[in-house]
Protein backbone atom coordinates (compact mmCIF):
# COMPACT_ATOMS: atom_id res chain seq x y z
CA UNK A 1 0.00 0.00 0.00
CA UNK A 2 1.32 3.43 -0.91
CA UNK A 3 1.82 5.89 1.93
CA UNK A 4 -0.96 8.43 2.16
CA UNK A 5 -0.04 11.94 1.07
CA UNK A 6 -1.77 15.16 2.07
CA UNK A 7 -4.31 15.45 4.87
CA UNK A 8 -5.74 12.05 5.80
CA UNK A 9 -9.48 11.62 5.45
CA UNK A 10 -11.34 8.60 6.80
CA UNK A 11 -14.48 8.13 4.69
CA UNK A 12 -17.15 5.84 6.16
CA UNK A 13 -19.87 5.13 3.61
CA UNK A 14 -21.68 1.83 3.05
CA UNK A 15 -22.81 2.56 -0.52
CA UNK A 16 -19.88 1.39 -2.63
CA UNK A 17 -20.62 3.72 -5.56
CA UNK A 18 -20.83 6.78 -3.31
CA UNK A 19 -17.74 5.69 -1.37
CA UNK A 20 -15.72 5.26 -4.57
CA UNK A 21 -17.01 8.52 -6.07
CA UNK A 22 -16.23 10.59 -2.98
CA UNK A 23 -12.85 8.89 -2.57
CA UNK A 24 -11.91 9.71 -6.16
CA UNK A 25 -13.10 13.30 -5.73
CA UNK A 26 -11.14 13.81 -2.51
CA UNK A 27 -7.99 12.16 -3.89
CA UNK A 28 -8.15 14.46 -6.94
CA UNK A 29 -8.09 17.38 -4.46
CA UNK A 30 -4.90 16.02 -2.88
CA UNK A 31 -6.30 14.28 0.18
CA UNK A 32 -5.23 10.83 1.31
CA UNK A 33 -8.43 8.83 1.64
CA UNK A 34 -9.05 5.74 3.75
CA UNK A 35 -12.42 4.38 2.56
CA UNK A 36 -14.39 1.90 4.70
CA UNK A 37 -17.97 0.64 4.62
CA UNK A 38 -19.04 0.30 8.28
CA UNK A 39 -18.86 2.18 11.57
CA UNK A 40 -17.00 -0.73 13.11
CA UNK A 41 -14.32 -0.60 10.39
CA UNK A 42 -14.14 3.16 10.84
CA UNK A 43 -13.54 2.85 14.58
CA UNK A 44 -10.84 0.22 13.98
CA UNK A 45 -9.07 2.61 11.59
CA UNK A 46 -9.30 5.46 14.10
CA UNK A 47 -7.83 3.21 16.79
CA UNK A 48 -4.89 2.38 14.48
CA UNK A 49 -4.01 5.75 13.03
CA UNK A 50 -4.61 9.47 13.28
CA UNK A 51 -6.72 11.10 10.57
CA UNK A 52 -7.29 14.81 10.05
CA UNK A 53 -10.92 14.51 8.99
CA UNK A 54 -13.58 11.88 9.58
CA UNK A 55 -16.47 11.92 7.12
CA UNK A 56 -19.19 9.45 7.99
CA UNK A 57 -22.64 8.64 6.73
CA UNK A 58 -25.20 8.47 9.53
CA UNK A 59 -27.09 5.37 8.37
CA UNK A 60 -24.72 2.42 8.12
CA UNK A 61 -25.16 -1.35 8.40
CA UNK A 62 -24.66 -2.47 11.98
CA UNK A 63 -23.78 0.55 14.11
CA UNK A 64 -24.59 4.09 12.94
CA UNK A 65 -22.29 6.98 12.16
CA UNK A 66 -23.54 8.57 15.39
CA UNK A 67 -22.32 5.53 17.31
CA UNK A 68 -18.96 5.74 15.53
CA UNK A 69 -18.46 9.38 16.49
CA UNK A 70 -19.55 8.81 20.10
CA UNK A 71 -17.24 5.78 20.50
CA UNK A 72 -14.32 7.60 18.89
CA UNK A 73 -14.88 10.57 21.22
CA UNK A 74 -15.07 8.31 24.30
CA UNK A 75 -11.83 6.58 23.29
CA UNK A 76 -10.08 9.86 22.46
CA UNK A 77 -9.53 8.86 18.82
CA UNK A 78 -10.76 12.17 17.39
CA UNK A 79 -9.23 14.76 19.72
CA UNK A 80 -7.33 16.34 16.83
CA UNK A 81 -9.73 15.30 14.09
CA UNK A 82 -12.55 17.27 12.50
CA UNK A 83 -15.81 15.37 11.96
CA UNK A 84 -18.45 15.73 9.25
CA UNK A 85 -21.60 13.59 9.25
CA UNK A 86 -23.75 13.07 6.16
CA UNK A 87 -27.41 12.09 6.33
CA UNK A 88 -30.60 11.99 4.33
CA UNK A 89 -32.67 12.08 7.53
CA UNK A 90 -34.04 15.51 8.42
CA UNK A 91 -34.19 14.98 12.19
CA UNK A 92 -30.73 13.65 12.98
CA UNK A 93 -29.01 15.78 15.62
CA UNK A 94 -25.23 15.53 15.34
CA UNK A 95 -23.01 15.15 18.40
CA UNK A 96 -21.46 18.36 19.69
CA UNK A 97 -18.76 19.76 17.41
CA UNK A 98 -19.84 17.65 14.43
CA UNK A 99 -20.75 19.36 11.17
CA UNK A 100 -23.86 17.96 9.47
CA UNK A 101 -24.41 17.76 5.71
CA UNK A 102 -27.67 16.64 4.15
CA UNK A 103 -28.11 14.47 1.08
CA UNK A 104 -28.18 14.93 -1.78
CA UNK A 105 -24.71 16.43 -1.60
CA UNK A 106 -23.73 19.44 -3.62
CA UNK A 107 -20.16 18.54 -4.64
CA UNK A 108 -18.85 22.11 -4.56
CA UNK A 109 -20.38 22.68 -1.12
CA UNK A 110 -18.98 19.34 0.07
CA UNK A 111 -15.45 20.20 -1.08
CA UNK A 112 -15.75 23.67 0.45
CA UNK A 113 -16.73 22.19 3.81
CA UNK A 114 -13.86 19.69 3.68
CA UNK A 115 -11.48 22.58 3.03
CA UNK A 116 -13.03 24.68 5.83
CA UNK A 117 -12.82 21.86 8.34
CA UNK A 118 -9.18 21.13 7.55
CA UNK A 119 -8.35 24.86 7.68
CA UNK A 120 -10.01 25.08 11.11
CA UNK A 121 -7.96 22.10 12.27
CA UNK A 122 -4.73 23.73 11.05
CA UNK A 123 -5.67 27.03 12.71
CA UNK A 124 -6.47 25.27 16.00
CA UNK A 125 -3.12 23.44 15.89
CA UNK A 126 -1.15 26.67 15.29
Amino acid sequence: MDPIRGPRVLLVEDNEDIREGLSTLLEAEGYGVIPVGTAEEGLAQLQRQHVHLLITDYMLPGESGGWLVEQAMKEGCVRQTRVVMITAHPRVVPPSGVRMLHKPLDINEFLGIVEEELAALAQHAA
Side-chain angles (χ1 to χ4, degrees), residues 40-118:
E40 294 85 351
E41 290 175 297
L43 184 59
Q45 285 294 328
L46 290 169
Q47 291 167 336
R48 273 196 289 272
Q49 63 184 317
H50 169 73
V51 299
H52 301 97
L53 178 63
L54 165 61
I55 302 171
T56 183
D57 192 11
Y58 178 76
M59 290 299 295
L60 296 165
E63 299 293 348
S64 72
W67 174 88
L68 166 60
V69 172
E70 288 175 13
Q71 286 300 121
M73 287 178 169
K74 281 182 195 172
E75 295 183 23
C77 299
V78 290
R79 274 192 217 112
Q80 297 177 332
T81 301
R82 302 296 287 197
V83 181
V84 174
M85 189 175 292
I86 301 170
T87 187
H89 298 278
R91 292 187 283 280
V92 172
V93 177
S96 178
V98 174
R99 190 140 180 199
M100 182 69 75
L101 288 176
H102 291 277
K103 292 179 181 177
L105 290 179
D106 174 282
I107 296 304
N108 292 323
E109 178 187 16
F110 172 74
L111 289 174
I113 287 171
V114 167
E115 190 175 309
E116 285 173 22
E117 291 298 317
L118 290 169

